[in-house]
Amino acid sequence: EVQLVESGGGLVKPGGSLRLSCAASGFTFSSYSMNWVRQAPGKGLEWVSSISSSSSYIYYADSVKGRFTISRDNAKNSLYLQMNSLRAEDTAVYYCASAYDSSGNDYWGQGTLVTVSS
Amino acid sequence: SSELTQVPAVSVALGQTVEITCQGDILDNYYASWYQQKPGQAPLLVIYETRNRPSGIPDRFTGSSSGNTASLTITGARADDEADYYCHSRDSSAKQVFGGGTKVTVL
C-alpha cells in the first residue's frame, strides 16, 4: 500500500521555524520527483516547492523562496521542508505529493496543518 | 504570465454534462493536469498531460485543450462528482501553478 505521511506541523509564532517531514512507503520513492503543495483554510491549492529524484533540480514558489528549503533522503524514503521566517500567510495544510509518472500515478499525503499566529 | 484562470463555480444537473475551463498563456506550451478535491481529502489526479486518465478514473472524465485553454468535461455527472476541480501546469522556469479552482455542484 502506498503511503505518504507528513509530520511536523503545528502552531508557531511569526518569524519562527518548522521542519516538515514526509515518510514514503509502498512505491519507489527514489524514482519520483516530489512536491510540497499547500492549501490555506478555505482557499485553493498552491504549489510550494519541488525536488527532482536525485535532488539535482529544486524549485520554489516566489512566495517562499529564500525562506523555505526542500530536501530529500532517498535512503530514508523521506522528503523534508525547512520553513524559516514564517508569516501568517504561510498558515495552511501542507501536502507532500509525488509527481505523476508516465501512467498517471501520483501519490499524496493527507497533509499536516501549519498555523502561524502569535 | 504564469497564472491559470478558472471560473469559481459551476452547476450541473444529475446525469448531464459540464465543461470546466482553465485559461493561461502557459497552456500554449505545457500540458494541463486536473485534480479533483473533496472536502477534507487530498487532491486526486483525474487527467494528466491534458487528455490522459490515470487508471481507475471513469471515462466520463475527459480532458482537451485548444490554444491557451484547457478543459475538463464530465459527461453524465454523478452526485459524487461534486467537488472542487483544479487545473495545474508549469511554466518555462519549471515552476508549477494551480488554477484557482472550480466548485462543481451537482443538482
Side-chain angles (χ1 to χ4, degrees):
Chain A
E1 180 193 7
V2 171
Q3 279 198 310
L4 288 172
V5 180
E6 301 96 337
S7 60
L11 176 63
V12 61
K13 289 181 167 54
S17 298
L18 275 179
R19 189 191 195 212
L20 305 184
S21 299
C22 172
S25 60
F27 69 105
T28 310
F29 176 77
S30 59
S31 296
Y32 285 77
S33 292
M34 296 296 296
N35 304 297
W36 287 100
V37 175
R38 69 185 181 183
Q39 188 168 34
K43 302 297 184 183
L45 301 174
E46 180 187 13
W47 170 77
V48 172
S49 182
S50 61
I51 186 168
S52 63
S53 57
S54 61
S55 304
S56 298
Y57 300 98
I58 288 175
Y59 305 98
Y60 298 99
D62 290 344
S63 58
V64 306
K65 194 168 187 178
R67 300 187 298 123
F68 289 11
T69 301
I70 190 172
S71 62
R72 65 190 295 163
D73 185 335
N74 286 342
K76 295 183 177 179
N77 287 341
S78 294
L79 177 72
Y80 307 101
L81 187 68
Q82 177 67 43
M83 304 187 296
N84 299 329
S85 303
L86 283 161
R87 307 166 179 167
E89 54 265 36
D90 296 318
T91 294
V93 172
Y94 284 73
Y95 293 101
C96 161
S98 74
Y100 61 77
D101 62 21
S102 58
S103 298
N105 299 306
D106 74 338
Y107 311 109
W108 290 68
Q110 282 306 301
T112 186
L113 178 62
V114 172
T115 303
V116 184
S117 175
S118 54
Chain B
S1 169
S2 299
E3 294 182 350
L4 294 176
T5 300
Q6 297 181 241
V7 172
V10 297
S11 60
V12 57
L14 192 66
Q16 296 304 300
T17 297
V18 63
E19 182 185 47
I20 307 162
T21 60
C22 173
Q23 191 170 22
D25 290 341
I26 58 177
L27 298 179
D28 275 321
N29 297 300
Y30 298 100
Y31 290 126
S33 303
W34 290 91
Y35 290 87
Q36 176 194 71
Q37 188 182 34
K38 297 179 180 179
Q41 297 184 16
L44 172 71
L45 183 67
V46 294
I47 293 290
Y48 68 102
E49 294 178 352
T50 301
R51 60 185 72 250
N52 296 318
R53 272 188 310 274
S55 63
I57 301 301
D59 60 6
R60 64 177 183 275
F61 291 91
T62 57
S64 61
S65 179
S66 177
N68 71 347
T69 301
S71 300
L72 172 69
T73 301
I74 307 173
T75 303
R78 296 172 34 157
D80 68 348
D81 296 332
E82 189 163 288
D84 295 324
Y85 290 83
Y86 296 91
C87 60
H88 168 270
S89 188
R90 52 157 288 179
D91 67 14
S92 57
S93 59
K95 293 180 180 179
Q96 299 178 38
V97 59
F98 287 94
T102 298
K103 182 177 181 61
V104 173
T105 300
V106 180
L107 304 173

